[in-house]
């Protein structure tokens, strides 16, 4: 058991890289998700088409093959990525395509009556999106985004295949170096679990803030009967 | 509620034309269902009209066309001398683009049956957001005016509440303040008390009575509140199947309707209440 202390530093380093790749891909994925999701609900036919192709392509093909494309195939036509960059780009584009559907769905789910109210107040399309639709839609995006983030964290183990020394890769090294496979992989499981759990807690906190931002907290209905306007 | 004060806060510009609203052979279809067939009518500046008629007769559709939530299939709608549906290009009229529509739509406001407040904004923001972004007021000015309006609808203490923390009657009064904050010349009201518990109807109608008494806003009202219609409106239009069956001042139409259709309808409504 004291062996753990020997290989813990390597595993922690791997976990740290895993978190960095998760963060990078999450940021890229978020940008892609909003760009593509907003394009999908826009008035422009071209924008909608581009979004659809992006989503269908990246959801419809395997993330592993996408990674191989970036890392092994593109260099053949002169486009070269650092391994970590390739990992972040492949995972980010992939998760962004799922995120795009989340964004689109959340925007579409805002009741039509909200749209009508913005028309009655003569808001521009931009103002409608910015002040009314997105602030509400983002709140309902948070739980599915949380799921995607966990998926992404677990999906980062793919990059170990292109020799990035993330958590999974480090574990493989230890195994092939003759360490106790049972404990090593147990520790790795626990580490993934702890990271995922931390992300879950973070997302929950965001969700609570989101709910409060649309008045959906635990606040009782107030009736101000004393303040009724006088009849004329 | 202080009637004079309301007149101070809600400045309605004087009318630019002799007719505030004009429907000109307006046709609206949903598929094969012809909801409005060549509808013609007009409303004078400052006039309050009430639209009545059986369910499905097209009352809501008329207000939604005027508010540009729906598009007319044929015909033209004019507001305060401007054509809402078309613009002139060369010597013929083409369907209006978004820019033109927004220009004319400034003059129109609407209050909905389900209030349609923005749940993500506190009451103050609900009332001040559009004036900041669509009228170009500063945040400070818009909020000062919003507070005045909210006080006038009896909600001065609720500026910091979210809509979900308010009763239906309170929400609808916020919606009235929000519409008035845009200084509309024309206000569309579609069954604004129908979604309310009976004991909350009066507070909303009282506010509307005050708006009617103290401003020159032209009002088009769809309502089943016959007493309110009688008190407030100058003219009642009875619709059936997308056409006007009969129109008259409320005293006349409610007591001596000329058409059988109107009589049957009024009897049904009165029995219900
Ligand atoms: N979005 C829509 N799609 C299809 N048909 C519609 C739509 N909106 C309204 N209609 C139809 O148009 C007709 C008129 O509807 P409208 O809502 O204007 O009636 P109304 O007079 O307001 O009725 P009510 O008193 O029930 O509110 C109805 O036959 C309705 O079914
Ligand atoms: Mg209706």
């Amino acid at each position: 058991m004291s062996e753990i202390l020997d290989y813990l530093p390597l595993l922690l380093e791997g976990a740290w890289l895993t978190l960095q790749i998760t963060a990078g891909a999450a940021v890229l994925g978020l940008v892609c998700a909003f760009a593509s999701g907003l394009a999908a609900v826009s008035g422009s036919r071209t924008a909608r088409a581009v979004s659809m192709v992006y989503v269908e392509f990246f959801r419809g093909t395997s993330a592993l093959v996408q990674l191989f494309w970036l890392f092994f195939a593109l260099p053949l036509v002169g486009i070269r990525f650092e391994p970590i960059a390739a990992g972040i780009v492949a995972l980010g584009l992939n998760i962004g395509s799922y995120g795009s559907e989340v964004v689109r769905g959340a925007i579409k789910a805002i009741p039509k009556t909200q749209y009508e109210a913005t028309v009655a107040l003569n808001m521009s399309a931009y103002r409608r999106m910015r002040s009314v639709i997105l602030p509400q839609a983002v709140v309902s995006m948070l739980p599915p985004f949380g799921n995607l983030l966990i998926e992404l964290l677990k999906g980062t183990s793919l990059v170990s295949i292109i020799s990035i020394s993330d958590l999974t890769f480090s574990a493989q090294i230890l195994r092939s170096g003759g360490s106790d496979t049972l404990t090593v992989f147990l520790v790795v499981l626990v580490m993934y679990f702890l990271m995922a759990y931390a992300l879950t807690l973070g997302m929950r906190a965001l969700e609570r803030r989101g709910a409060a931002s649309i008045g959906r907290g635990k606040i009782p209905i107030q009736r101000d009967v004393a303040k009724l306007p006088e009849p004329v | 509620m202080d009637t004079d004060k309301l007149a101070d806060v809600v400045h309605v510009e004087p009318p630019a034309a002799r007719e505030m609203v004009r429907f000109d052979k307006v046709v609206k279809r949903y598929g094969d269902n012809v909801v409005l067939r060549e509808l013609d009518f007009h409303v004078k500046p400052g006039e309050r009209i009430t639209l009545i008629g059986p369910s499905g007769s097209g009352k809501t559709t008329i207000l939604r066309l005027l508010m540009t939530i729906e598009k007319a299939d044929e015909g033209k709608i004019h507001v305060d001398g401007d054509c809402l549906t078309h613009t002139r290009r060369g010597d013929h009229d083409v369907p209006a683009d978004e820019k033109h529509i927004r220009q004319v739509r400034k003059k129109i406001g609407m209050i909905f049956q389900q209030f349609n407040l923005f749940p993500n904004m506190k009451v103050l923001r609900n009332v001040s957001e559009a004036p900041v972004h669509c009228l170009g007021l500063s945040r400070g000015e818009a909020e000062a005016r919003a507070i005045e309006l909210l006080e006038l609808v009896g909600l001065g203490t609720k500026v910091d509440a979210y809509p979900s923390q308010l009763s239906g009657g309170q929400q609808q009064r916020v919606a009235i303040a929000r519409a008035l904050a845009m200084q509309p010349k024309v206000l569309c009201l579609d069954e604004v008390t129908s979604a309310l518990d009976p004991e909350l109807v009066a507070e909303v109608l009282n506010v509307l009575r005050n708006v009617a008494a103290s401003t020159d806003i032209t009002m088009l009202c769809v309502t089943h509140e016959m007493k309110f219609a009688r008190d407030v409106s100058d003219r009642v239009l009875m619709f059936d199947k997308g056409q006007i069956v009969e129109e008259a001042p409320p005293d006349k139409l409610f007591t001596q309707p000329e058409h059988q259709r109107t009589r049957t309808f009024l009897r049904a409504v009165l029995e219900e209440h």
Side-chain angles (χ1 to χ4, degrees), chain A residues 160-179:
Chain A
S160 61
I161 288 181
I162 56 171
S163 308
I164 295 176
S165 46
D166 75 325
L167 182 53
T168 303
F169 188 82
S170 310
Q172 293 274 26
I173 294 210
L174 289 173
R175 185 181 61 88
S176 54
S179 300

Short mmCIF file of all heavy atoms in Angstrom, two decimals, chain A residues 160-179:
data_model
loop_
_atom_site.label_atom_id
_atom_site.label_comp_id
_atom_site.label_asym_id
_atom_site.label_seq_id
_atom_site.Cartn_x
_atom_site.Cartn_y
_atom_site.Cartn_z
N SER A 160 -5.13 9.92 -24.35
CA SER A 160 -3.99 9.09 -23.96
C SER A 160 -3.49 8.28 -25.16
O SER A 160 -2.33 7.89 -25.22
CB SER A 160 -4.39 8.15 -22.81
OG SER A 160 -5.43 7.31 -23.24
N ILE A 161 -4.40 8.10 -26.13
CA ILE A 161 -4.03 7.31 -27.31
C ILE A 161 -3.01 8.01 -28.18
O ILE A 161 -2.21 7.38 -28.86
CB ILE A 161 -5.32 6.95 -28.10
CG1 ILE A 161 -6.08 5.92 -27.28
CG2 ILE A 161 -5.00 6.47 -29.50
CD1 ILE A 161 -7.34 5.46 -27.90
N ILE A 162 -3.05 9.37 -28.17
CA ILE A 162 -2.01 10.07 -28.93
C ILE A 162 -0.87 10.50 -27.99
O ILE A 162 -0.23 11.53 -28.18
CB ILE A 162 -2.56 11.26 -29.74
CG1 ILE A 162 -3.32 12.25 -28.83
CG2 ILE A 162 -3.47 10.78 -30.87
CD1 ILE A 162 -3.69 13.55 -29.55
N SER A 163 -0.64 9.68 -26.97
CA SER A 163 0.52 9.84 -26.08
C SER A 163 0.56 11.15 -25.29
O SER A 163 1.63 11.70 -25.07
CB SER A 163 1.85 9.73 -26.85
OG SER A 163 1.84 8.57 -27.60
N ILE A 164 -0.61 11.65 -24.93
CA ILE A 164 -0.62 12.77 -24.00
C ILE A 164 -0.68 12.16 -22.60
O ILE A 164 -1.49 11.27 -22.35
CB ILE A 164 -1.84 13.66 -24.23
CG1 ILE A 164 -1.75 14.29 -25.61
CG2 ILE A 164 -1.94 14.73 -23.16
CD1 ILE A 164 -2.94 15.12 -25.99
N SER A 165 0.19 12.64 -21.69
CA SER A 165 0.27 11.96 -20.40
C SER A 165 -0.79 12.47 -19.43
O SER A 165 -0.50 13.08 -18.42
CB SER A 165 1.66 12.11 -19.80
OG SER A 165 2.07 13.46 -19.91
N ASP A 166 -2.03 12.22 -19.80
CA ASP A 166 -3.13 12.58 -18.91
C ASP A 166 -3.25 11.49 -17.84
O ASP A 166 -2.38 10.61 -17.72
CB ASP A 166 -4.44 12.71 -19.71
CG ASP A 166 -4.99 11.35 -20.11
OD1 ASP A 166 -4.16 10.45 -20.38
OD2 ASP A 166 -6.21 11.19 -20.14
N LEU A 167 -4.29 11.51 -17.07
CA LEU A 167 -4.46 10.57 -15.97
C LEU A 167 -4.46 9.12 -16.47
O LEU A 167 -3.76 8.26 -15.93
CB LEU A 167 -5.76 10.89 -15.22
CG LEU A 167 -6.10 10.03 -14.00
CD1 LEU A 167 -4.94 10.00 -13.02
CD2 LEU A 167 -7.37 10.56 -13.32
N THR A 168 -5.23 8.85 -17.51
CA THR A 168 -5.31 7.49 -18.02
C THR A 168 -3.95 7.00 -18.55
O THR A 168 -3.51 5.88 -18.26
CB THR A 168 -6.35 7.40 -19.16
OG1 THR A 168 -7.59 7.86 -18.63
CG2 THR A 168 -6.50 5.99 -19.68
N PHE A 169 -3.27 7.89 -19.28
CA PHE A 169 -1.98 7.54 -19.84
C PHE A 169 -0.96 7.23 -18.73
O PHE A 169 -0.23 6.24 -18.78
CB PHE A 169 -1.47 8.69 -20.72
CG PHE A 169 -0.24 8.35 -21.51
CD1 PHE A 169 -0.33 7.66 -22.71
CD2 PHE A 169 1.03 8.72 -21.05
CE1 PHE A 169 0.79 7.35 -23.45
CE2 PHE A 169 2.16 8.42 -21.78
CZ PHE A 169 2.05 7.73 -22.98
N SER A 170 -0.98 8.07 -17.69
CA SER A 170 -0.06 7.86 -16.57
C SER A 170 -0.31 6.50 -15.92
O SER A 170 0.64 5.79 -15.54
CB SER A 170 -0.23 8.96 -15.53
OG SER A 170 -0.18 10.22 -16.15
N ALA A 171 -1.58 6.15 -15.82
CA ALA A 171 -1.91 4.86 -15.22
C ALA A 171 -1.36 3.71 -16.06
O ALA A 171 -0.80 2.74 -15.55
CB ALA A 171 -3.42 4.73 -15.07
N GLN A 172 -1.50 3.87 -17.38
CA GLN A 172 -0.97 2.85 -18.29
C GLN A 172 0.53 2.68 -18.12
O GLN A 172 1.06 1.56 -18.11
CB GLN A 172 -1.24 3.26 -19.75
CG GLN A 172 -2.70 3.26 -20.12
CD GLN A 172 -3.18 1.89 -20.55
OE1 GLN A 172 -2.60 0.87 -20.14
NE2 GLN A 172 -4.24 1.84 -21.34
N ILE A 173 1.21 3.81 -17.96
CA ILE A 173 2.66 3.76 -17.79
C ILE A 173 3.02 2.96 -16.55
O ILE A 173 3.89 2.09 -16.57
CB ILE A 173 3.24 5.19 -17.67
CG1 ILE A 173 3.03 5.91 -18.99
CG2 ILE A 173 4.71 5.15 -17.25
CD1 ILE A 173 4.06 6.95 -19.32
N LEU A 174 2.29 3.29 -15.46
CA LEU A 174 2.56 2.60 -14.21
C LEU A 174 2.31 1.10 -14.37
O LEU A 174 3.07 0.26 -13.89
CB LEU A 174 1.70 3.16 -13.09
CG LEU A 174 2.10 4.58 -12.64
CD1 LEU A 174 1.09 5.12 -11.65
CD2 LEU A 174 3.49 4.55 -12.03
N ARG A 175 1.22 0.79 -15.07
CA ARG A 175 0.88 -0.63 -15.23
C ARG A 175 1.98 -1.35 -15.99
O ARG A 175 2.50 -2.38 -15.56
CB ARG A 175 -0.44 -0.76 -15.99
CG ARG A 175 -0.94 -2.21 -16.09
CD ARG A 175 -2.24 -2.25 -16.87
NE ARG A 175 -2.07 -1.75 -18.23
CZ ARG A 175 -1.70 -2.50 -19.26
NH1 ARG A 175 -1.46 -3.79 -19.07
NH2 ARG A 175 -1.55 -1.99 -20.46
N SER A 176 2.37 -0.74 -17.12
CA SER A 176 3.39 -1.43 -17.91
C SER A 176 4.75 -1.41 -17.20
O SER A 176 5.60 -2.23 -17.48
CB SER A 176 3.49 -0.81 -19.31
OG SER A 176 3.70 0.58 -19.18
N GLY A 177 4.91 -0.47 -16.24
CA GLY A 177 6.13 -0.44 -15.45
C GLY A 177 6.11 -1.44 -14.31
O GLY A 177 7.01 -1.44 -13.47
N GLY A 178 5.04 -2.22 -14.20
CA GLY A 178 5.01 -3.29 -13.23
C GLY A 178 4.36 -2.94 -11.91
O GLY A 178 4.40 -3.72 -10.97
N SER A 179 3.74 -1.73 -11.80
CA SER A 179 3.06 -1.40 -10.54
C SER A 179 1.82 -2.26 -10.37
O SER A 179 1.33 -2.86 -11.32
CB SER A 179 2.65 0.07 -10.53
OG SER A 179 3.79 0.88 -10.66
#
